[in-house]
Amino acid sequence: MAADRPAELLLYSYWRSSSAYRVRIALNLKGIQYRQKFVHLVKEGGEQHKTEYREVNPLGLVPALVHEDQTIVQSMAICEYLEETFTDIPLLPANPTARARVRTIAQSITSEIQPLNNLAVINYLKTEMSQDSGAVKSWYRHWIERGFAAVETWLSTPASGLYCHGDRPTLADCFLVPQVYNAERFSCDLEPYPNLRRITEQCRGLSAFQKAAPENQADAEI
Ligand SMILES: N[C@@H](CCC(=O)N[C@@H](CS)C(=O)NCC(=O)O)C(=O)O
């Protein structure tokens, strides 16, 4: 960790949020100490909608990171901030082409899969669009299949090693594993994605990923 940076970071988080899970992994991989403040996304209609939290993130989404009196939202922006501020353990490769590849994988998850399957979207389908649970599951799986097929193609190339890029974890792994967790929750078939499954298992063997896992959070309800 950069010596001139105080360690006090506060992460607004929810145990099952895949977006917060990404940031927890990045923080752990970098060895950064942080506190968590929990925002229950379901209880009483969701604490993310309360005025108190809207003052933290006007979008009403977790995660949010507070560091040195600055609040940063959007998991990609948070991870990039951590990368630029805590430089000892990089999660992006040095080479620009390799960096772009890592960002491509992470961005494809954060922009093309997760937003379509977020809680607010699923709730909107159920309530405003009167879709039954079968239709909602089919919607969820469609976007997983479309996104994971592309990610699997990238993970099948020689640029992937033990992890999404080479033999060290990068931001791509921080984004992949939470999305796989989420897909498993919705009983998606992961058989067609052998590289994605192999790399996820590799990541799950690391303590940084284990410590960040939803079931290991203080607000977990299991
Ligand atoms: N693009 C945002 C997505 C954040 C997001 O969708 N967070 C979800 C949990 S994973 C959330 O707070 N959902 C609450 C809601 O939909 O009401 C990011 O990467 O941080």
Side-chain angles (χ1 to χ4, degrees):
M1 189 187 307
D4 58 340
R5 294 279 170 188
E8 181 66 10
L9 285 96
L10 175 66
L11 180 68
Y12 286 85
S13 180
Y14 177 62
W15 66 293
R16 264 188 165 161
S17 157
S18 64
S19 306
Y21 187 1
R22 299 164 187 159
V23 177
R24 294 195 300 260
I25 297 169
L27 286 161
N28 294 345
L29 283 170
K30 283 180 165 289
I32 303 169
Q33 298 298 312
Y34 62 99
R35 279 193 306 121
Q36 292 195 72
K37 193 161 178 181
F38 302 116
V39 182
H40 201 297
L41 297 187
V42 184
K43 198 170 66 185
E44 295 167 13
E47 290 175 351
Q48 71 275 31
H49 303 303
K50 298 216 182 322
T51 311
E52 189 191 339
Y53 188 67
R54 291 279 172 161
E55 281 167 11
V56 176
N57 182 357
L59 283 168
L61 300 169
V62 293
L65 182 81
V66 181
H67 186 215
E68 295 178 340
D69 297 330
Q70 297 298 314
T71 302
I72 307 163
V73 302
Q74 290 291 349
S75 59
M76 189 54 126
I78 296 171
C79 287
E80 295 267 8
Y81 171 79
L82 294 174
E83 184 68 3
E84 289 162 5
T85 310
F86 299 87
T87 53
D88 286 358
I89 302 173
L91 297 178
L92 284 172
N95 172 287
T97 311
R99 290 166 87 84
R101 182 175 180 274
V102 167
R103 287 184 172 120
T104 297
I105 296 169
Q107 196 76 55
S108 298
I109 291 165
T110 189
S111 302
E112 311 300 337
I113 304 178
Q114 190 271 339
L116 292 155
N117 289 345
N118 182 33
L119 180 65
V121 172
I122 297 294
N123 283 345
Y124 190 84
L125 286 173
K126 284 183 193 161
T127 54
E128 303 300 318
M129 308 298 282
S130 309
Q131 297 299 309
D132 62 21
S133 68
V136 170
K137 273 188 191 145
S138 153
W139 165 278
Y140 183 94
R141 287 177 188 157
H142 172 76
W143 300 111
I144 285 283
E145 283 165 18
R146 178 179 177 266
F148 276 4
V151 172
E152 177 64 21
T153 304
W154 291 315
L155 298 185
S156 310
T157 67
S160 292
L162 290 175
Y163 299 98
C164 288
H165 191 85
D167 292 332
R168 288 178 48 182
T170 63
L171 285 187
D173 303 285
C174 299
F175 282 64
L176 175 69
V177 171
Q179 196 59 58
V180 171
Y181 162 82
N182 214 262
E184 288 169 343
R185 259 186 79 199
F186 281 78
S187 308
C188 294
D189 178 15
L190 299 181
E191 273 305 304
Y193 321 113
N195 288 292
L196 185 147
R197 285 187 284 113
R198 172 184 64 77
I199 291 168
T200 298
E201 284 318 303
Q202 181 73 29
C203 291
R204 284 175 172 166
L206 298 180
S207 66
F209 285 79
Q210 288 158 10
K211 261 177 63 190
E215 64 273 18
N216 295 329
Q217 303 314 298
D219 62 331
E221 295 165 20
I222 31 183

